[in-house]
Amino acid sequence: MEAIWLYQFRLIVIGDSTVGKSCLIRRFTEGRFAQVSDPTVGVDFFSRLVEIEPGKRIKLQIWDTAGQERFRSITRAYYRNSVGGLLLFDITNRRSFQNVHDWLEEARSHVQPHNIVFLLVGHKCDLEAQREVTRQEAEKLAGAYGMRYVETSARDAINVEHAFTELTRDIFALVRTGEITIQEGWEGVKSGFVPNVVHSSEEVTKSDRRCLC
Amino acid sequence: MANTTTGTRDRRDSRCGLSGEAIVQNGCVVTELATSDIHNHTNNHHHDLSSTMHSETVVPTYKPSCSSTPIYYCSPQKNYSDMNQDCHSLTSQDSGIPTLEINPPEPIIHAHQRTGDGGLVSDSSFYSPATLTLEDSTDGNSIRKSSTFPRSGYDSIRHLSPALRLSTTSGAAVGALNRSDDISSMSSMSTELSVSNEDILDFTVTSSSSAIVTLETDDSSGSHFTDVTLTTSPGNPGDLWSPVRGPHQEEDGRLKKLGPLASLFNRSLFARRVKDNRPVEQKDPGWKLFGKVPLREGPIKDPKRIQKVEIFFLQMLTYFAAFEVFFEENLPKLFAHFQKNNLTPDIYLIDWIFTLYSKSLPLDLACRVWDVFCRDHEEFLFRTGLGLLRLYQDVLSPMDFIHMAQFLTRLPDLIPADQLFQHITAIHMTSRNRKWAQVLQALQKDPERCSPVLKR
């Protein structure tokens, strides 16, 4: 199957362990929810095309990082080449919300000289009865950092598409206005004006025509 | 518009564990796995870790489930929502790494699931320690080549023999339990084994004792393990870690037999949960600076917990760099292709090495790897990695970054065991007349050369 995309954005998904990063991404890329999910070790990779306007497709390359602290040293190296990020906390786990600040600080200190567009995601919003973080305080925090706030549920597929497409649109707008530019040696945004071949792993006969110097 | 790659290759999806697709095998011996993808053989395996907490002599209990209801991990979050938050993240960490569980008493139910990975290697002989002889007979040289770490001869064999039997004993259990390659299966297996066979205690005490030692020392402010990790003296190639011995010399001695990386795992990973009990140190203002602080100065300026992680990280980078040396030596074309695509070894090696391949390989294959790992130490883990790259060289070379990354972090369900071991055997563990340990040692002396991640 061939697909043409305007840009490829590399997104990173961060947040405390067990907030549901992998499940959210799997819902988005595979359209299903896994009841059982093993902890991510290091980093996992997903990708999906998003059509932000008719005919305008963006390829998202999503890096699903391990939330566990023991992998922090590795995962923080992945900020630099990301253009956008979803910062997740679990609305039923207050600590994960309290750690949002630390995550942002860590990201900001490792992303330089580039910038990263973040979206704050309150995950597991299907578990309303166990909620420990109100929408108001989360919105307030997001506002303080200049981020959007979205509440999602991978289990019930609430706002999952919305979260990713909103972030993609925001980044796309910044790319269009030139605030984010494609740079040599930076993987955050890649141009896809030349038709690229999206080939599955089984199609091993085609060669990769892109030049990634 | 969905990406074509997702889902096509990721048939196994055992991490995801879609319960809807699973067929519960009720713990029966499954020797003839269907090769089709339709049948996802699941094994439900209840394992009560808390019992191993209280007693070292508990016999492992298998309670095969008779229902087709998916069995979930007890989500710490949901069951212990009002527990101490640190414990919460603590619990979640545990299942990530194959380790000996020292949890607070807590029932953990594993759902083991592995989709049809073919009946290729379900023969019980594969679970026997015959792996060693097998490889011996195919290529005696490789054995010698791979054994760059000095062994204590008979002593080492005696020491490790329980581990070899471990795979035999577990073979039956594993055969009965179906092959399952998710992390939890290994972690629970090691726990089971540690209590099911007295002989194995010798082997397993190593890990658990080190973890306990860390537990004790961690609470006191002078954790000697931190010092131990810091005081590496690369002078002796055979003793790459050559820690300054603390009062727990015996444990160290035992650990060393499993090789430096094993000790590293024990100290830095297996003991991690204990450290997480401590209050929110990560809020210390200094922690952000860490990546910029030179290794040697770390201890003075930063919280201990972060140091350990960071030092461990730097050590891992050394291993990755050594891996790259042999990667380039053995597979120059693929190496160049990886470099062109900025595909650094951390992207796939963490997944492979941290879990000792328990996540990435089917359990029968992982068992064979562990057999040789017990003998050749961590070198064999990296050699296995190179063997995998060699096996899939032709598949990988036309792919771009994301496809390679996805392929390597989700290896195919059907990995031909014999072919893989042939490729592992074909990997030369010498580079410019230097063996693995020598390369590693050189890199440890010159850390500047060895940070593929930081260089990016």
Side-chain angles (χ1 to χ4, degrees):
Chain A
M1 171 186 147
E2 276 207 4
I4 300 167
W5 65 86
L6 278 174
Y7 294 104
Q8 175 184 283
F9 296 160
R10 186 180 286 186
L11 307 182
I12 189 167
V13 181
I14 55 170
D16 278 10
S17 83
T18 73
V19 297
K21 297 181 288 299
S22 302
C23 285
L24 182 76
I25 300 170
R26 281 184 182 274
R27 169 62 83 182
F28 178 65
T29 58
E30 296 166 8
R32 55 190 183 188
F33 177 70
Q35 295 284 357
V36 182
S37 181
D38 282 343
T40 306
V41 177
V43 63
D44 243 331
F45 301 90
F46 298 87
S47 62
R48 213 194 101 170
L49 282 172
V50 171
E51 192 156 12
I52 48 166
E53 288 167 29
K56 283 187 180 170
R57 274 169 288 182
I58 306 283
K59 186 180 185 187
L60 298 181
Q61 188 186 97
I62 305 164
W63 288 45
D64 177 20
T65 64
Q68 298 173 8
E69 172 123 4
R70 60 163 75 103
F71 297 113
R72 206 62 56 80
S73 304
I74 296 284
T75 52
R76 71 169 62 125
Y78 301 142
Y79 291 118
R80 206 184 70 83
N81 277 306
S82 306
V83 67
L86 280 89
L87 173 45
L88 262 74
F89 70 90
D90 172 359
I91 62 153
T92 69
N93 174 359
R94 183 138 197 101
R95 171 61 64 85
S96 71
F97 177 66
Q98 288 161 345
N99 285 340
V100 161
H101 172 77
D102 289 343
W103 280 107
L104 271 181
E105 283 300 309
E106 178 173 74
R108 297 235 157 111
S109 62
H110 287 91
V111 75
Q112 282 155 11
H114 307 283
N115 280 308
I116 201 162
V117 182
F118 268 114
L119 175 76
L120 185 64
V121 178
H123 195 42
K124 307 190 188 177
C125 72
D126 54 293
L127 301 174
E128 190 60 44
Q130 296 161 51
R131 181 187 278 273
E132 289 181 5
V133 181
T134 66
R135 177 186 276 274
Q136 289 74 25
E137 58 186 333
E139 277 171 348
K140 196 178 156 194
L141 182 78
Y145 287 108
M147 294 185 287
R148 284 175 191 269
Y149 176 65
V150 177
E151 291 200 342
T152 58
S153 163
R155 196 178 72 176
D156 294 354
I158 301 167
N159 276 342
V160 177
E161 290 284 323
H162 177 70
F164 280 93
T165 46
E166 280 303 297
L167 180 62
T168 308
R169 274 181 224 276
D170 287 352
I171 297 166
F172 183 66
L174 291 168
V175 171
R176 259 218 287 233
T177 58
E179 283 180 67
I180 294 174
T181 53
I182 298 166
Q183 288 169 46
E184 190 86 0
W186 181 58
E187 308 278 333
V189 180
K190 297 243 173 208
S191 173
F193 281 116
V194 180
N196 282 280
V197 178
V198 184
H199 53 81
S200 69
S201 59
E202 285 78 13
E203 296 176 67
V204 292
T205 48
K206 291 176 189 167
S207 67
D208 188 359
R209 281 175 281 158
R210 275 191 300 159
C211 174
L212 303 165
C213 308
Chain B
M1 280 314 128
N3 182 299
T4 53
T5 61
T6 50
T8 50
R9 187 177 52 243
D10 191 17
R11 292 185 306 266
R12 166 171 54 177
D13 211 14
S14 62
R15 281 168 258 185
C16 201
L18 262 198
S19 53
E21 297 172 5
I23 297 168
V24 176
Q25 294 292 309
N26 295 342
C28 300
V29 182
V30 185
T31 47
E32 292 170 2
L33 280 182
T35 46
S36 89
D37 294 328
I38 301 160
H39 300 289
N40 294 340
H41 295 272
T42 301
N43 224 296
N44 293 317
H45 161 211
H46 300 233
H47 182 69
D48 189 352
L49 286 170
S50 64
S51 62
T52 61
M53 267 294 297
H54 298 306
S55 160
E56 287 186 332
T57 53
V58 176
V59 175
T61 48
Y62 299 100
K63 299 170 196 162
S65 166
C66 292
S67 85
S68 58
T69 320
I71 293 178
Y72 310 138
Y73 277 103
C74 288
S75 163
Q77 138 121 32
K78 281 158 198 169
N79 293 342
Y80 300 92
S81 54
D82 45 0
M83 237 170 113
N84 174 337
Q85 303 282 359
D86 275 330
C87 290
H88 161 256
S89 71
L90 194 73
T91 346
S92 73
Q93 292 199 352
D94 292 345
S95 42
I97 300 292
T99 177
L100 297 155
E101 306 290 346
I102 317 181
N103 284 342
E106 161 196 357
I108 290 185
I109 303 162
H110 297 286
H112 288 177
Q113 179 176 7
R114 177 159 179 82
T115 58
D117 51 4
L120 274 186
V121 277
S122 51
D123 184 347
S124 62
S125 68
F126 281 93
Y127 299 111
S128 74
T131 313
L132 290 171
T133 6
L134 196 71
E135 210 201 10
D136 251 324
S137 59
T138 49
D139 185 355
N141 287 335
S142 72
I143 302 298
R144 255 172 278 129
K145 264 187 258 159
S146 67
S147 51
T148 47
F149 280 91
R151 297 173 206 160
S152 44
Y154 170 73
D155 185 44
S156 147
I157 287 162
R158 191 173 56 86
H159 172 71
L160 292 172
S161 61
L164 296 177
R165 241 180 295 148
L166 168 153
S167 42
T168 333
T169 358
S170 69
V174 166
L177 280 168
N178 190 355
R179 294 189 305 283
S180 141
D181 69 336
D182 61 24
I183 306 179
S184 50
S185 72
M186 173 166 174
S187 99
S188 55
M189 199 183 86
S190 61
T191 318
E192 292 147 25
L193 290 164
S194 69
V195 294
S196 62
N197 183 339
E198 280 185 20
D199 292 333
I200 289 162
L201 284 176
D202 191 33
F203 175 77
T204 44
V205 156
T206 324
S207 315
S208 55
S209 62
S210 85
I212 289 162
V213 166
T214 320
L215 172 73
E216 291 161 1
T217 51
D218 239 309
D219 289 335
S220 65
S221 52
S223 163
H224 85 272
F225 271 113
T226 312
D227 303 332
V228 165
T229 326
L230 280 170
T231 343
T232 50
S233 76
N236 175 5
D239 189 7
L240 291 170
W241 236 269
S242 118
V244 172
R245 294 299 165 76
H248 301 277
Q249 213 161 0
E250 276 186 23
E251 281 86 355
D252 272 357
R254 280 179 168 177
L255 285 170
K256 249 177 50 179
K257 289 182 185 171
L258 289 177
L261 190 63
S263 342
L264 186 62
F265 279 142
N266 283 314
R267 287 177 192 142
S268 303
L269 289 177
F270 292 175
R272 287 284 303 133
R273 74 195 57 203
V274 175
K275 287 163 229 156
D276 287 341
N277 268 327
R278 290 195 276 160
V280 220
E281 275 181 29
Q282 69 189 49
K283 289 199 170 167
D284 281 355
W287 74 280
K288 280 182 293 187
L289 302 170
F290 206 88
K292 294 148 195 166
V293 179
L295 175 58
R296 305 281 166 190
E297 292 174 30
I300 307 141
K301 292 185 179 173
D302 298 279
K304 247 186 311 175
R305 181 164 72 143
I306 306 295
Q307 285 165 30
K308 287 189 193 175
V309 175
E310 202 71 26
I311 287 156
F312 175 77
F313 168 64
L314 291 171
Q315 301 285 14
M316 281 311 289
L317 292 185
T318 315
Y319 277 95
F320 294 164
F323 176 84
E324 284 195 300
V325 167
F326 291 96
F327 185 3
E328 186 170 20
E329 185 79 30
N330 282 277
L331 305 162
K333 277 186 185 169
L334 191 66
F335 180 77
H337 180 62
F338 275 37
Q339 279 208 317
K340 195 183 80 182
N341 285 281
N342 286 324
L343 186 70
T344 47
D346 50 286
I347 281 167
Y348 49 93
L349 271 189
I350 292 174
D351 186 52
W352 294 353
I353 304 291
F354 272 60
T355 63
L356 306 178
Y357 294 97
S358 62
K359 187 178 166 189
S360 36
L361 294 181
L363 185 56
D364 51 353
L365 262 177
C367 282
R368 292 182 63 174
V369 171
W370 300 337
D371 273 353
V372 193
F373 165 63
C374 287
R375 194 203 58 191
D376 287 357
H377 312 315
E378 76 273 9
E379 175 183 338
F380 190 72
L381 296 180
F382 294 95
R383 192 176 181 183
T384 302
L386 291 169
L388 278 165
L389 294 178
R390 195 176 191 274
L391 172 65
Y392 291 113
Q393 186 171 16
D394 294 340
V395 179
L396 289 164
S397 45
M399 288 187 190
D400 64 359
F401 172 87
I402 190 72
H403 294 100
M404 287 193 286
Q406 286 184 319
F407 183 88
L408 293 170
T409 50
R410 275 164 255 170
L411 289 170
D413 291 342
L414 285 163
I415 299 176
D418 290 337
Q419 275 188 46
L420 174 61
F421 274 85
Q422 278 165 19
H423 282 279
I424 294 172
T425 305
I427 295 290
H428 305 290
M429 290 306 274
T430 47
S431 168
R432 295 181 195 149
N433 277 330
R434 290 179 308 164
K435 292 181 173 180
W436 169 264
Q438 292 167 312
V439 169
L440 194 62
Q441 186 197 347
L443 289 164
Q444 280 170 334
K445 278 180 181 166
D446 185 9
E448 289 303 307
R449 280 190 293 160
C450 67
S451 42
V453 181
L454 297 177
K455 270 182 193 165
R456 272 186 303 177

